[in-house]
Amino acid sequence: MSADDNGEGGTFALYSLLCRHARLSILPNQQDSDKKLSSYATEGSADTWDSAFLKSFAEKHQKFRNILLIFVLLGTCMAIGDGIFTPAISVLSAVSGVKIKASELHENYVVVISCVILVVLFYIQHHGTSRVAFLFAPIVIAWLLCISSIGMYNIIRWNPHIYQALSPIYMLKFLKETGWEGWVSLGGVVLSITGVETMFAVLGHFSALSIKVAFIFLVYPCLILAYLGEAAYLSQHHHDIESSFYKAIPEPVFWPVFIVATLAAVVGSQAVISATFSIVSQCCALHCFPRVKIVHTSSKIYGQIYIPEINWILMCLCLIVTIILRDTNRIGHAYGLSVTSVMFVTTCLMTLVMVIVWKQKAVVAASFLVIFGSIELLYLSAVFFKVLDGGWISLLLSWTLMATMFIWNYGSLKKHQFDLENKVSMDRILSSGPSLGMVRVPGIGLIYTNLVTGIPAIFGHFVTNLPAFHEVLVFVCVKSVQVPYISEKERFLVTRIYPEDYGMYRCVIRYGYKDLQQENYDFENRLVSEIVNFIETEGENEPTLRMQICTCSGNSDDEAVDVSEQILSYPNQGETTMQSKNVGVLISQDGHCKRPHLKDESLHILRAREAGMAYILGHSYARAKKSSSIFKKVAINVIYAFLSRNTRRPEVVLNVPPTSLLEVGMIYYV
């Protein structure tokens, strides 16, 4: 938990941490100015020989970076798989306790009841975690107290000396005497530590200290008592091995414990489903997952989200797994494979963090990898032995998901590469204006692009076929940065393109991989405010200008909308860049600015704003070149094309008003 990224945990958080300290980034549009973000935080001790060598090796070898990305995607897909197997095995194991009291109950009824609970569980997800969060702590505490109390009861009644089983000597004796069978049994033993990978993935929801205190003083003691109690019962009832947990419960408290167990299964499943939403959202931000709808479920607690498409896909897969496998042991094999894979990936990334970020010696990091990695590989090898007995589902789901994510990332990077290689020369377009009949029309045109420098190809395609564009042009780039969060005052970066009389600007809007675009964001006024403040403070060392933008209609009085206050920074390449805090400009009803000291260029921007805004987006289609391999043609022409057609459209993600949208179609070959 010490290897966190500004408090965030999980596979991608470790990868993000590595990308900031070494050139491993999968995001193609990073800038030097990103390093000035307050959350970037790469300060530390000087590079050691080991860290410098590893960084140099990674920068020189593209294949290493690609392999590392695939490795990270594998761990991420296995973590997403937890969102499928955890609800299935938790609910099915809880409901199966009914058969203890109703032995004549057919297995099909247990499966049907489990499926009904799963459907209800996924159906209520759209209400948000906050609606039922107040029940989480009481249910979990009640569950821990129940199993610990029952454990103590069984220890006292059946075998008071069972505490000796805590000695690792018995583990070694067990493995020595059982041999092959003991090694295979580790595939089931690993289920006793599941959940820790999800805890690390949602580290940002709690502090590391709170997790350590809760685990050491409550969770771990309760689990130890529960397992010792079950072992004590089994020492006297060898024949009850298949259903020892429920049979070890005293008769008077069976049904209350059964109810608490079912509620605990639902709560645990809810936590993993929420973690899956968070992981998918993070993958979308880093261009490793197709665009999906992300809904905020809480206006007070930041980060509580709901993704409808993922929710229903998870539900269908959970039901399929429950119906096909029908047995907690077989589901446990698939679950154990996912968990141990995530753990091993995390350990390997942790080793790189120790060398690259913490500047530890390679010998120390290698020792860490050998100690923890060998234990995880031992469990992983045991679980792999059960691949044919249910574990294949985990491999099938994870590899399918990983292939989808990799192809989406590959297609997105190729699209960005095409844009880089086909930048438009604005001088050439403007110089040929008279021959093309080029005109400037009133208003502001927002050209969305993935580029942080240069003019995108879609703009050249647009003016070639329709030789007219707006009197004010703003090239807008919405991009993600390898940090969890970016504050509002650092969100916008405004620069000028060409001289003042061209009326062209670039606005880069930066988001962290845990940031979510606000649904009710007054984007147009905010953008205009940023540009005007950039113009007014351009060249000043200590800007003091404070303004407001207002929207007026009818005969009403001036109505002000607060926007932001600016702070200038000056990047290395000489562009005047602006970041913001809380700002604006005041416009009267007739469209004239009430501040006579504003520059003419600012007044020009405000008048253009009153004339209206248009959003120009590229609608591109990817095609593989004829000389491409069969694999590439299938990946681009079939899979990536299918995902592009059926994913959420960019204009919807960006909240573009449909009445102001212009789409420019293009085909690019990769």
Side-chain angles (χ1 to χ4, degrees), residues 46 72 112 149 157 159 168 172 181 290 310 352 500 515 517 551 566 569 581 605 637 657:
V72 171
V112 170
S149 301
R157 180 176 180 182
N159 192 345
L172 298 176
E181 292 181 357
I310 301 302
L352 294 176
E500 179 178 323
D515 277 324
Q517 297 186 32
T551 55
Q566 307 306 319
S569 66
K581 267 192 208 169
I605 297 290
N637 297 347

Side-chain angles (χ1 to χ4, degrees), residues 415-458:
K415 179 180 178 182
H416 186 270
Q417 184 179 347
F418 175 86
D419 289 339
L420 283 176
E421 295 173 352
N422 293 271
K423 289 182 182 180
V424 177
S425 172
M426 201 65 201
D427 289 329
R428 192 171 181 180
I429 291 179
L430 293 174
S431 62
S432 59
S435 61
L436 290 175
M438 195 88 65
V439 295
R440 303 290 290 267
V441 298
I444 299 177
L446 304 181
I447 298 94
Y448 279 83
T449 172
N450 292 323
L451 301 179
V452 293
T453 59
I455 307 300
I458 62 164

Side-chain angles (χ1 to χ4, degrees), residues 560-604:
V561 179
D562 288 333
V563 201
S564 67
E565 177 189 358
Q566 307 306 319
I567 297 177
L568 281 177
S569 66
Y570 300 95
N572 299 329
Q573 300 167 352
E575 293 180 327
T576 305
T577 306
M578 180 190 62
Q579 301 175 348
S580 58
K581 267 192 208 169
N582 256 336
V583 203
V585 180
L586 186 59
I587 307 173
S588 62
Q589 255 180 303
D590 56 4
H592 297 291
C593 180
K594 286 188 173 182
R595 298 292 182 91
H597 63 272
L598 288 181
K599 297 178 182 178
D600 292 339
E601 187 181 1
S602 299
L603 296 175
H604 179 65

Side-chain angles (χ1 to χ4, degrees), residues 124-141:
I124 64 174
Q125 291 300 314
H126 70 279
H127 292 294
T129 307
S130 58
R131 300 288 182 91
V132 292
F134 70 96
L135 292 174
F136 284 8
I139 290 175
V140 172
I141 292 175

Side-chain angles (χ1 to χ4, degrees), residues 170-468:
Y170 289 94
M171 175 188 69
L172 298 176
K173 287 184 178 180
F174 170 77
L175 293 176
K176 182 179 179 180
E177 294 178 6
T178 56
W180 174 268
E181 292 181 357
W183 170 71
V184 172
S185 69
L186 294 178
V189 174
V190 74
L191 297 180
S192 64
I193 55 174
T194 57
V196 293
E197 77 291 341
T198 304
M199 179 187 68
F200 181 59
V202 295
L203 181 62
H205 291 242
F206 306 95
S207 67
L209 179 61
S210 65
I211 293 176
K212 292 175 182 177
V213 171
F215 185 80
I216 293 172
F217 294 103
L218 178 64
V219 179
Y220 186 71
C222 291
L223 291 177
I224 289 296
L225 288 173
Y227 285 126
L228 287 176
E230 195 169 344
Y233 177 83
L234 282 173
S235 66
Q236 304 296 327
H237 305 82
H238 295 254
H239 56 281
D240 289 336
I241 186 68
E242 291 295 330
S243 53
S244 58
F245 174 78
Y246 280 110
K247 288 191 175 181
I249 299 175
E251 184 69 25
V253 297
F254 178 86
W255 288 112
V257 172
F258 173 78
I259 294 174
V260 174
T262 305
L263 293 176
V266 172
V267 166
S269 302
Q270 169 70 42
V272 176
I273 293 170
S274 300
T276 304
F277 292 157
S278 180
I279 293 172
V280 171
S281 172
Q282 187 173 328
C283 293
C284 289
L286 298 177
H287 304 292
C288 289
F289 201 91
R291 294 177 297 269
V292 291
K293 181 179 181 181
I294 300 176
V295 180
H296 299 259
T297 58
S298 175
S299 58
K300 297 179 180 179
I301 304 176
Y302 188 84
Q304 289 192 359
I305 60 174
Y306 166 70
I307 305 178
E309 299 95 327
I310 301 302
N311 183 68
W312 302 124
I313 291 174
L314 288 179
M315 186 191 75
C316 293
L317 292 175
C318 272
L319 294 177
I320 291 173
V321 168
T322 304
I323 293 172
I324 291 179
L325 298 184
R326 309 171 67 87
D327 178 47
T328 55
N329 289 328
R330 300 178 67 190
I331 298 177
H333 298 152
Y335 185 30
L337 183 58
S338 294
V339 170
T340 50
S341 299
V342 175
M343 291 180 179
F344 183 69
V345 170
T346 304
T347 298
C348 293
L349 292 177
M350 180 68 184
T351 304
L352 294 176
V353 168
M354 292 177 70
V355 177
I356 295 177
V357 181
W358 292 355
K359 308 297 189 295
Q360 296 289 330
K361 293 182 178 181
V363 176
V364 176
S367 302
F368 170 84
L369 179 61
V370 169
I371 294 173
F372 288 93
S374 59
I375 296 173
E376 291 160 356
L377 284 177
L378 181 64
Y379 281 115
L380 191 58
S381 62
V383 175
F384 260 111
F385 185 76
K386 299 290 187 178
V387 166
L388 297 179
D389 192 20
W392 61 272
I393 288 188
S394 177
L395 292 178
L396 177 64
L397 290 174
S398 60
W399 282 97
T400 302
L401 184 58
M402 187 180 69
T404 302
M405 293 172 68
F406 184 79
I407 290 173
W408 180 262
N409 177 258
Y410 176 78
S412 301
L413 291 180
K414 285 298 181 181
K415 179 180 178 182
H416 186 270
Q417 184 179 347
F418 175 86
D419 289 339
L420 283 176
E421 295 173 352
N422 293 271
K423 289 182 182 180
V424 177
S425 172
M426 201 65 201
D427 289 329
R428 192 171 181 180
I429 291 179
L430 293 174
S431 62
S432 59
S435 61
L436 290 175
M438 195 88 65
V439 295
R440 303 290 290 267
V441 298
I444 299 177
L446 304 181
I447 298 94
Y448 279 83
T449 172
N450 292 323
L451 301 179
V452 293
T453 59
I455 307 300
I458 62 164
F459 181 71
H461 191 59
F462 173 71
V463 297
T464 301
N465 292 276
L466 183 64

